[in-house]
Amino acid sequence: MFKPVHSGTRTLISPVRLNQPAGRRIYRIVLVLTLVVSTIVFIGPLYWMATGGFKSSQELIQTPPTLVPEHPSTHAFTEAWNRLGMGQLLLNTVVYAGGALLLQLIFCVAAAYSLSKLRPIFGNVILGMMLASMMIPAAALVIPQYLTVLDLPLIHVNLMNTPWVIWLPTVANAFNVFLLKRFFDSIPNELLDAASIDGAGPLRTLWSVILPLSRPILGVVSIFGLVAVWKDFLWPLITVPEHETLNVGVNTAATSMPQNTLIAGLFLASIPTIALFLVFQRNIMAGLTAGSLKG
């Protein structure tokens, strides 16, 4: 039986066209080509980096390039790990990322909870100012932040070459506060009222009611916070030169290493974030959409 299409529905290919054999073939061909091209664009550079470490320097720069290493060897990966001291670089990066994540969760959750459920005076204005700060380019904040950490106001402490110089600038993240607030808004107020009747205060309600329900969005915020610190280059380069991160250590050695060894080091440095995304990709999508609908 023919079903009329709603006049307000607009699609790239009409349902009538899709019901025809020729229309279905065209749709499938276009879909397959789009998926193949997108896969090549996104996976291609990663594949080149992964296979580049298995090639010799001569094979890496030859024209035309080889898609598969002719004589694969793990020597470049071993040399990159030893020459760069990637064990220490990895430890430094884990300390910076872990501390930044812990502080960011504490302060962002508190800010989002207060804006969503406690509703302070001028809460919307405060949230608007937070979101407006996202329009400021990160490069424009480098100099003010650098002058701040050189002489921290009020206590006059120099934070250079300490983990705090990485941790403090990441504490207040407007995007994460916004994500958390949107999720907290979707939690029924009746649950908070029931907790209040049972004698729970705001902190107890946050710990026993809000946080257990917020695991998806907390996972998303955690991944974003970890990746942001892990991939940062400019700020660690100028603030912790004596305790380098993975990105800084690998890139500063670029001029003194063979290209295949450098590429092997870059691939080793990217493995943790790639693995993190592959393991938690479903949680990322679930957390991003969890607070978007009510009911």
Side-chain angles (χ1 to χ4, degrees):
M1 182 177 179
F2 177 76
K3 295 182 179 180
V5 180
H6 192 275
S7 58
T9 302
R10 294 179 179 271
T11 59
L12 185 61
I13 302 177
S14 68
V16 176
R17 182 68 173 171
L18 283 176
N19 288 332
Q20 301 174 357
R24 286 196 296 270
R25 284 195 296 269
I26 294 175
Y27 172 77
R28 290 168 181 168
I29 291 173
V30 172
L31 177 62
V32 170
L33 289 176
T34 302
L35 291 176
V36 170
V37 172
S38 301
T39 302
I40 293 175
V41 169
F42 287 100
I43 303 298
L46 182 61
Y47 174 79
W48 180 85
M49 182 174 64
T51 58
F54 291 98
K55 300 177 181 179
S56 63
S57 298
Q58 292 75 17
E59 183 183 0
L60 186 63
I61 63 176
Q62 76 178 29
T63 304
T66 56
L67 293 178
V68 180
E70 296 177 353
H71 305 286
S73 172
T74 59
H75 174 72
F77 292 95
T78 305
E79 184 179 4
W81 182 273
N82 294 330
R83 289 185 58 177
L84 293 173
M86 295 195 70
Q88 184 62 47
L89 296 178
L90 179 62
L91 177 61
N92 294 343
T93 308
V94 168
V95 171
Y96 296 147
L101 171 62
L102 178 61
L103 292 174
Q104 192 172 123
L105 284 178
I106 292 174
F107 287 94
C108 288
V109 166
Y113 176 63
S114 62
L115 291 173
S116 175
K117 299 303 182 183
L118 302 184
R119 299 190 178 279
I121 300 177
F122 304 120
N124 290 334
V125 176
I126 295 172
L127 179 62
M129 294 175 64
M130 286 184 180
L131 297 178
S133 67
M134 296 173 59
M135 303 177 64
I136 303 175
L141 300 176
V142 171
I143 294 178
Q145 286 182 349
Y146 184 77
L147 295 177
T148 301
V149 299
L150 278 179
D151 185 16
L152 199 64
L154 300 179
I155 60 177
H156 302 289
V157 175
N158 187 343
L159 300 179
M160 296 292 288
N161 286 309
T162 67
W164 290 101
V165 78
I166 303 294
W167 295 343
L168 288 183
T170 63
V171 165
N173 188 297
F175 181 66
N176 287 344
V177 171
F178 175 72
L179 285 181
L180 289 165
K181 180 185 180 300
R182 290 280 296 176
F183 188 92
F184 293 165
D185 288 343
S186 67
I187 298 177
N189 289 327
E190 288 78 6
L191 294 177
L192 279 69
D193 295 338
S196 179
I197 293 174
D198 290 338
L203 290 179
R204 179 69 177 179
T205 301
L206 173 62
W207 182 260
S208 301
V209 179
I210 300 295
L211 292 184
L213 297 174
S214 304
R215 290 176 182 174
I217 196 63
L218 291 176
V220 173
V221 170
S222 299
I223 293 172
F224 285 170
L226 284 173
V227 173
V229 176
W230 200 281
K231 71 178 183 179
D232 196 10
F233 175 76
L234 179 59
W235 185 246
L237 176 66
I238 62 179
T239 56
V240 284
E242 297 180 6
H243 307 282
E244 296 176 331
T245 61
L246 272 174
N247 279 345
V248 175
V250 173
N251 284 278
T252 52
T255 58
S256 61
M257 298 178 63
Q259 288 193 13
N260 63 332
T261 304
L262 175 62
I263 292 175
L266 291 172
F267 181 70
L268 291 174
S270 64
I271 286 178
T273 51
I274 295 174
L276 190 68
F277 173 77
L278 293 177
V279 172
F280 295 103
Q281 57 179 327
R282 290 187 179 181
N283 303 75
I284 295 174
M285 297 307 300
L288 289 175
T289 59
S292 59
L293 299 175
K294 291 185 178 181

